Amino acid sequence: MTAEAPLTAQTQVTAQTQVTAQTQVTAQAPAPKAAGRLPVALDAVGGDHGAAPNVDGAVQAARSGVSVLLVGDRVKLHAELGKHEGSSRLPIEVVDAPDVIGMEEHASDVRSRTGASINVCTRLVKEGRAAAAVSMGHSGATMASALLTLGRIRGVDRPAILTHLPAQGGFTTLLDAGANADVKAAYLAQWARLATVYLRVLEDREDPTVGLLSIGEEDHKGSALVVEAHGLLRALHGQGINFYGNVEGRDIFRSTTDIVVTDGFTGNVVLKLAEGEAKVLLGWVKEALNSNVKSKLGGLLVRDSLRGLAERMDPSTYGASILIGVRGLAFIGHGSADARAVKNAVLRAARAHEANLVQRLEAAFQAST
């Protein structure tokens, strides 16, 4: 699994399996948590770069007012925290978890390695001791651990990875971005409902539109899966879903709809294509602006604007993608994430918890049955 893939293969696990290892919590400092708020559990040793960017991002998030549980090897995390001046006065605690599932290992290892850092994170959420689990580590293991420990929202057959792609006027919400390579039409209808509630709760979009990714706008175009899903979504229009119809790949970046649903295989390809093309385009712009003296002078004039453009296209702006549909908050980030991405992921997770996102999702599915 590559460092930049949210999840590239479908992971099937049984939601009823329980993880039962004990968690040892060691306080990093006597600083109290913010009143009435649960901390965010961060898999602080996950990812390509280990503890350093995770701890740095956690410190930044804590300075922004969010309490954080750093989960991982206690000695390493305390040593990393010691590099940050004033960290002892921040609302950060260390939770000891000496085991970590590496990027090259199997997602199924979460079943037997109950003391792994990601399992400790999701268990803290299950026990009501953490608001959310956030990991920049093994995405398959994060998904499997969330399913094993938290289970699914009733009425959701398969959770999906929900992500945001920069688009005209803001962003387009895409799901599934890689959790389920093989899907049924009913899954796409469920994901449309999940994403609709998500945008209402966290982005204040009262009646977000839903598009079904296809090879043409006409109702009859697309694979058998897409045609069947189109019928289901059309039938749900006006019943908690504002279905626009089929959309094509170019519509994602035109903001034709607020939400685009597709299978996880296609969604992951779209995500990686968008990220790769963004890097190439920015590279071309930089090359053009450095091609001669006149171009360099022009580059000075547009430097601030280009920085804003790069900011919008930077995956670290959103931090991590939510695994939506589980009975708890779990966020999956890039293995190559830097401290800024970690900070933004923690802040996004805290915001989702404060907005009672999971409870709102459960209520929406109960009302639809």
Side-chain angles (χ1 to χ4, degrees):
M1 182 170 299
T2 61
E4 294 189 354
L7 188 60
T8 59
Q10 184 178 6
T11 304
Q12 297 186 5
V13 292
T14 304
Q16 287 73 28
T17 304
Q18 297 297 318
V19 181
T20 58
Q22 294 297 313
T23 303
Q24 178 182 1
V25 180
T26 305
Q28 158 66 12
K33 304 182 186 70
R37 293 182 180 179
L38 286 174
V40 172
L42 174 64
D43 180 6
V45 290
D48 296 341
H49 308 300
N54 285 301
V55 172
D56 190 356
V59 168
Q60 293 181 36
R63 285 175 177 158
S64 298
V66 175
S67 301
V68 182
L69 297 177
L70 291 175
V71 180
D73 185 280
R74 178 174 51 191
V75 175
K76 291 180 180 179
L77 294 180
H78 277 301
E80 198 63 41
L81 271 173
K83 300 176 184 179
H84 297 270
E85 184 177 354
S87 62
S88 62
R89 297 186 295 275
L90 295 173
I92 296 177
E93 295 180 359
V94 171
V95 180
D96 192 38
D99 187 19
V100 58
I101 296 176
M103 302 294 278
E104 73 287 350
E105 296 182 288
H106 296 290
S108 58
D109 286 353
V110 298
R111 292 178 177 274
S112 57
R113 295 163 63 179
T114 57
S117 54
I118 185 57
N119 278 332
V120 175
C121 286
T122 55
R123 189 160 58 249
L124 286 167
V125 176
K126 177 72 172 181
E127 295 171 353
R129 298 163 62 190
V134 175
S135 178
M136 305 296 158
H138 195 309
S139 51
T142 302
M143 180 184 173
S145 181
L147 280 169
L148 285 166
T149 308
L150 303 174
R152 291 183 282 266
I153 290 174
R154 180 171 296 182
V156 176
D157 292 314
R158 293 284 177 81
I161 294 176
L162 180 152
T163 194
H164 299 309
L165 293 176
Q168 290 180 357
F171 62 85
T172 296
T173 298
L174 174 75
L175 71 168
D176 179 17
N180 305 276
D182 299 306
V183 306
K184 297 178 180 180
Y187 302 169
L188 299 178
Q190 293 166 13
W191 298 341
R193 189 178 299 279
L194 288 169
T196 296
V197 176
Y198 175 92
L199 289 183
R200 285 175 181 164
V201 172
L202 290 184
E203 303 296 340
D204 296 322
R205 298 192 183 182
E206 183 58 33
D207 194 23
T209 52
V210 176
L212 175 64
L213 189 60
S214 186
I215 58 172
E217 297 179 356
E218 296 83 358
D219 295 359
H220 64 276
K221 284 195 173 181
S223 64
L225 169 70
V226 169
V227 172
E228 183 182 357
H230 187 281
L232 292 177
L233 288 165
R234 182 64 68 192
L236 291 172
H237 179 67
Q239 302 179 43
I241 294 176
N242 183 4
F243 184 51
Y244 171 88
N246 287 355
V247 295
E248 297 177 277
R250 60 191 174 192
D251 291 308
I252 296 173
F253 306 103
R254 291 176 173 175
S255 293
T256 301
T257 59
D258 299 296
I259 300 162
V260 173
V261 293
T262 186
D263 63 90
F265 182 90
T266 304
N268 194 259
V269 171
V270 169
L271 174 63
K272 291 176 181 176
L273 176 63
E275 292 178 348
E277 184 67 8
K279 291 179 181 179
V280 170
L281 287 174
L282 287 174
W284 286 345
V285 171
K286 290 179 181 178
E287 287 178 10
L289 292 176
N290 286 297
S291 59
N292 54 55
V293 175
K294 288 184 178 180
S295 297
K296 289 180 180 179
L297 290 174
L300 292 174
L301 296 176
V302 299
R303 181 171 54 186
D304 291 341
S305 297
L306 288 177
R307 285 176 178 170
L309 176 62
E311 169 86 6
R312 287 182 61 188
M313 300 175 75
D314 186 354
S316 67
T317 299
Y318 300 106
S321 301
I322 186 172
L323 179 64
I324 196 165
V326 292
R327 297 191 64 198
L329 294 172
F331 287 79
I332 302 170
H334 285 268
S336 59
D338 57 13
R340 179 172 177 268
V342 174
K343 178 199 73 173
N344 288 337
V346 171
L347 296 180
R348 181 172 290 272
R351 184 162 158 252
H353 176 71
E354 291 168 11
N356 296 315
L357 177 62
V358 174
Q359 292 84 349
R360 298 281 291 275
L361 291 170
E362 289 181 318
F365 272 81
Q366 289 175 4
S368 66
T369 57

